[in-house]
Amino acid sequence: MVDVEAVEAGSEIENEHKLRVVRRQKADALRARGVNPYPNDFRPQNNAADVHRDCGEQDGAALGATPRRYRVAGRIVANRSFGKAAFISIQDQSGRIQVYVKKDVVGADVFDAFQLCDMGDIVGVEGAAFRTKTNELTLEAREFRLLTKALRPLPEKWHGLSDVETRYRKRYVDLIANPAVRDTFVKRTLLLREMRRFLDARGFMEVETPMMHPLAGGAAARPFVTHHNTLDMDLYMRIAPELYLKRLLVGGFERVYEINRNFRNEGISTQHNPEFTMLEFYWAYANYELLIALTEEMFGELAAKVAGKTTVPFRGNEIRLEPPFRRLSIREGIREFAKLPDSVWADAGEAKAAAKARGIEVKPGATHGAVLMEIFERASEPHLVQPTFVVDFPLDVSPLSRKKESDPTLANGTSSLPLVDRFELYVAGMEMANAFSELNDPIDQRGRFEGQMAARAAGDDEAHQLDEDFLEALEIGMPPAGGEGVGIDRLAMLLTNSDSIRDVILFPLMRPQV
RNA sequence: GGGCCUGUAGCUCAACUGGUAGAGCAGCGGACUCUUAAUCCGGUGGUUGAAGGUUCAAGUCCUUCCAGGCUCACCA
């Protein structure tokens, strides 16, 4: 019995919601009966899926003839109670199972304690499987224990939790209330596991490199800054592991990969979270053509393993992740989607004028290649729904990529822009991967860094900084190699049909609540 | 940062042109030993995101602020 009047008088616990006070009183009532509301001596032997797997094919007569007993634990997610008996549903990591609690089976004391349990409490049950009149597989409790008293209520059983903000802030409730959310994160974990298996099977070695860098390198992005007290030095949260993984190529590890967080101090959107997970891998003696083949194979295999099929629905499209993927050069894209003549490749002034005519803001100091990339991305990205390798990037936006050795457009004068052996993979209008044959000529690399430093001096705060130690490593000699980065969150979005990156990150960054 | 939209009970949602803030579920009391959105009876529950303003009267209109969503810009 709960004394609601006393709750309303409720002087001792100001500010505490009555629903919570009632539950605390139930916990106290249990303690008064010698029942610990938070014991830790119940060991489940089975889960809900075990029961369904073992007994799913058996009818009531078969179960009655050879009773099977199970010992399970889970959260009460439904409660249909009669005077001296009740059906509850409990949910564990594997799923749900119904439990029948009868006073004349568990005894008066246990049933009394059961009646002090609420939706959301975690309980342990041992009992035999049987089928109800309506043929639902159910455990008849012989033992029933409260394992954890919940002091706050779960969301409403029928509509559940749908408020987007609450779902992100209180992900633990979201996971309890929305099985599809749990399924998404199970698939994300499966994706990571299968990706590691794919790489491991091909002789790649997983490594860990620093997340705190004295220089933020390996990508064009604004970093987060932090500080080490003892060394009294500023550090940057890494924007990419690239330069460290390449040092490992120098050191003799020929196939390495890292799956970990990067941090970029940029905007937040349905495709951007300030911390996000990247796969980067480096493959000695390979080039970007080999990376294209590997990437096609990887995406096809991951789709089959994670989504169960190689054609997946996403934002109203059916995405076919079956090799070979389309290839599209930047030049073709600008021609096809921006409807601009190839002469924009020969004349930077013409390119800038075309960009301005399209309402693209050309940053002061923007290079010819950067302007063309702006035009390309604006015009082409929405069209790149099916997987497409975008190739033939300008060198001046690719400071770590190997220069393309045979480029007829330079020879015949239709372009003044050297290209690099690089691709980006677009799927559903999103950039999913970025890869290139790595630049391993230390003299060329130094020149590229110097160009970046000049851009930085001209106001581009995302330009690379010169990393002297990395150049020293290249001077020791880095084998020719291909390297690639794959955005795990976006791939998870694609394979789980999630519209927002926040739906595939367990705890996306939110402003604090007041 | 710009534009549009949202915020009402623990949860999901109502409340007309400004006129006494309501329902379902949850929770509480009672009945009930095969229910599954259990059912039946009875009651409880509110700083309408916050602060100002207009008005006889504000959930509703105005201003500012807070949080979130979509979108554009930036970015991967």
Side-chain angles (χ1 to χ4, degrees):
Chain A
M1 250 22 70
V2 174
D3 187 347
V4 178
E5 298 309 313
V7 173
E8 287 181 67
S11 52
E12 84 238 24
I13 312 159
E14 299 171 72
N15 292 334
E16 189 164 14
H17 196 277
K18 284 175 192 162
L19 293 174
R20 286 163 61 202
V21 175
V22 166
R23 286 175 176 234
R24 280 177 47 147
Q25 289 183 336
K26 288 180 179 178
D28 291 342
L30 286 163
R31 284 196 182 91
R33 282 154 220 236
V35 176
N36 177 1
Y38 300 96
N40 186 0
D41 59 353
F42 182 92
R43 312 289 164 225
Q45 313 268 312
N46 314 97
N47 60 35
D50 291 338
V51 184
H52 290 291
R53 190 193 56 237
D54 293 351
C55 308
E57 304 294 312
Q58 294 182 268
D59 61 17
L63 287 172
T66 52
R68 308 175 71 125
R69 289 185 68 163
Y70 293 92
R71 191 171 178 82
V72 299
R75 191 181 296 274
I76 299 176
V77 291
N79 184 359
R80 296 172 291 276
S81 157
F82 303 84
K84 299 184 183 66
F87 287 96
I88 61 175
S89 296
I90 66 172
Q91 172 172 293
D92 66 20
Q93 187 176 322
S94 74
R96 293 186 176 191
I97 183 72
Q98 179 167 268
V99 173
Y100 191 31
V101 185
K102 285 169 78 174
K103 184 172 186 177
D104 58 13
V105 173
V106 297
D109 287 350
V110 169
F111 197 79
D112 199 35
F114 163 69
Q115 288 186 302
L116 289 168
C117 290
D118 289 294
M119 294 272 289
D121 289 356
I122 296 170
V123 299
V125 170
E126 180 168 325
F130 75 105
R131 287 194 180 272
T132 65
K133 274 187 201 166
T134 51
N135 208 37
E136 174 153 356
L137 189 58
T138 303
L139 296 181
E140 182 178 88
R142 299 187 70 83
E143 182 184 349
F144 181 93
R145 296 276 307 281
L146 172 65
L147 304 183
T148 300
K149 184 70 198 164
L151 296 185
R152 291 177 188 257
L154 289 179
E156 192 243 355
K157 63 187 172 190
W158 189 240
H159 300 92
L161 177 67
S162 59
D163 181 78
V164 175
E165 184 176 349
T166 309
R167 287 187 42 233
Y168 295 151
R169 288 188 192 278
K170 310 291 179 188
R171 184 68 90 184
Y172 39 89
V173 180
D174 192 28
L175 287 165
I176 295 166
N178 295 315
V181 171
R182 187 210 318 229
D183 185 56
T184 292
F185 288 104
V186 169
K187 282 182 172 164
R188 181 184 171 120
T189 294
L190 178 62
L191 166 64
L192 290 166
R193 187 158 57 232
E194 291 299 333
M195 183 169 266
R196 288 189 164 100
R197 195 195 308 276
F198 182 94
L199 291 161
D200 293 343
R202 285 159 180 77
F204 285 85
M205 180 173 102
E206 183 169 10
V207 297
E208 294 175 280
T209 65
M211 315 269 285
M212 302 168 80
H213 292 180
L215 284 175
R222 292 198 298 274
F224 290 94
V225 186
T226 186
H227 186 79
H228 189 279
N229 288 340
T230 303
L231 298 179
D232 189 23
M233 69 185 289
D234 284 340
L235 289 162
Y236 301 97
M237 305 298 287
R238 78 174 186 196
I239 57 175
E242 173 152 354
L243 302 185
Y244 286 91
L245 291 170
K246 286 181 178 173
R247 284 172 169 93
L248 295 179
L249 291 182
V250 172
F253 290 135
E254 295 175 357
R255 298 184 188 189
V256 293
Y257 71 95
E258 179 164 12
I259 297 176
N260 221 320
R261 226 66 64 80
N262 290 345
F263 308 86
R264 297 189 186 174
N265 206 340
E266 312 270 1
I268 294 176
S269 78
T270 51
Q271 291 175 55
H272 302 83
N273 195 63
E275 54 178 308
F276 63 103
T277 302
M278 284 269 287
L279 160 70
E280 282 205 18
F281 64 95
Y282 290 82
W283 182 6
Y285 311 113
N287 64 6
Y288 88 124
E289 284 290 348
L290 289 166
L291 291 176
I292 282 181
L294 189 76
T295 302
E296 287 174 333
E297 193 180 352
M298 177 191 282
F299 273 59
E301 188 165 312
L302 290 174
K305 292 268 174 56
V306 176
K309 48 192 191 282
T310 52
T311 297
V312 300
F314 188 77
R315 292 183 180 166
N317 294 301
E318 290 292 324
I319 309 292
R320 293 182 301 278
L321 294 164
E322 289 155 18
F325 300 162
R326 180 189 184 190
R327 293 193 195 193
L328 177 77
S329 71
I330 306 289
R331 177 183 284 247
E332 290 164 342
I334 288 176
R335 202 189 289 145
E336 177 178 341
F337 299 114
K339 310 290 186 203
L340 285 173
D342 285 358
S343 51
V344 295
W345 288 79
D347 183 344
E350 185 183 339
K352 283 184 190 178
K356 279 180 183 156
R358 272 145 211 283
I360 297 170
E361 188 188 336
V362 178
K363 284 182 255 178
T367 61
H368 186 185
V371 172
L372 291 176
M373 286 310 299
E374 284 286 335
I375 293 171
F376 173 85
E377 286 172 10
R378 181 75 68 92
S380 304
E381 278 186 15
H383 299 286
L384 305 181
V385 175
Q386 295 301 329
T388 304
F389 289 111
V390 173
V391 298
D392 288 350
F393 280 70
L395 181 141
D396 58 25
V397 296
S398 312
L400 302 168
S401 303
R402 183 184 181 88
K403 186 174 172 182
K404 198 174 191 69
E405 285 178 350
S406 58
D407 180 359
T409 64
L410 276 184
N412 67 20
T414 58
S415 172
S416 59
L417 274 177
L419 302 178
V420 291
D421 286 335
R422 172 181 175 188
F423 71 80
E424 286 185 351
L425 174 61
Y426 278 82
V427 185
M430 296 188 291
E431 186 188 329
M432 306 286 294
N434 179 22
F436 33 88
S437 298
E438 301 297 341
L439 174 58
N440 67 338
D441 174 344
I443 306 300
D444 190 353
Q445 182 67 76
R446 181 176 293 277
R448 306 274 193 102
F449 273 146
E450 283 166 353
Q452 290 287 305
M453 294 301 276
R456 179 170 280 270
D460 181 357
D461 56 1
E462 292 183 355
H464 273 74
Q465 298 181 64
L466 188 147
D467 187 332
E468 196 65 56
D469 180 76
F470 174 67
L471 290 172
E472 183 174 334
L474 289 190
E475 289 176 11
I476 295 291
M478 184 181 87
E484 176 163 346
V486 177
I488 299 296
D489 311 277
R490 289 178 180 179
L491 185 52
M493 288 169 66
L494 178 68
L495 297 183
T496 61
N497 195 15
S498 299
D499 284 340
S500 170
I501 198 169
R502 293 183 149 195
D503 292 324
V504 299
I505 292 174
L506 281 166
F507 300 100
L509 184 66
M510 305 285 280
R511 280 197 171 88
Q513 277 177 312
V514 190

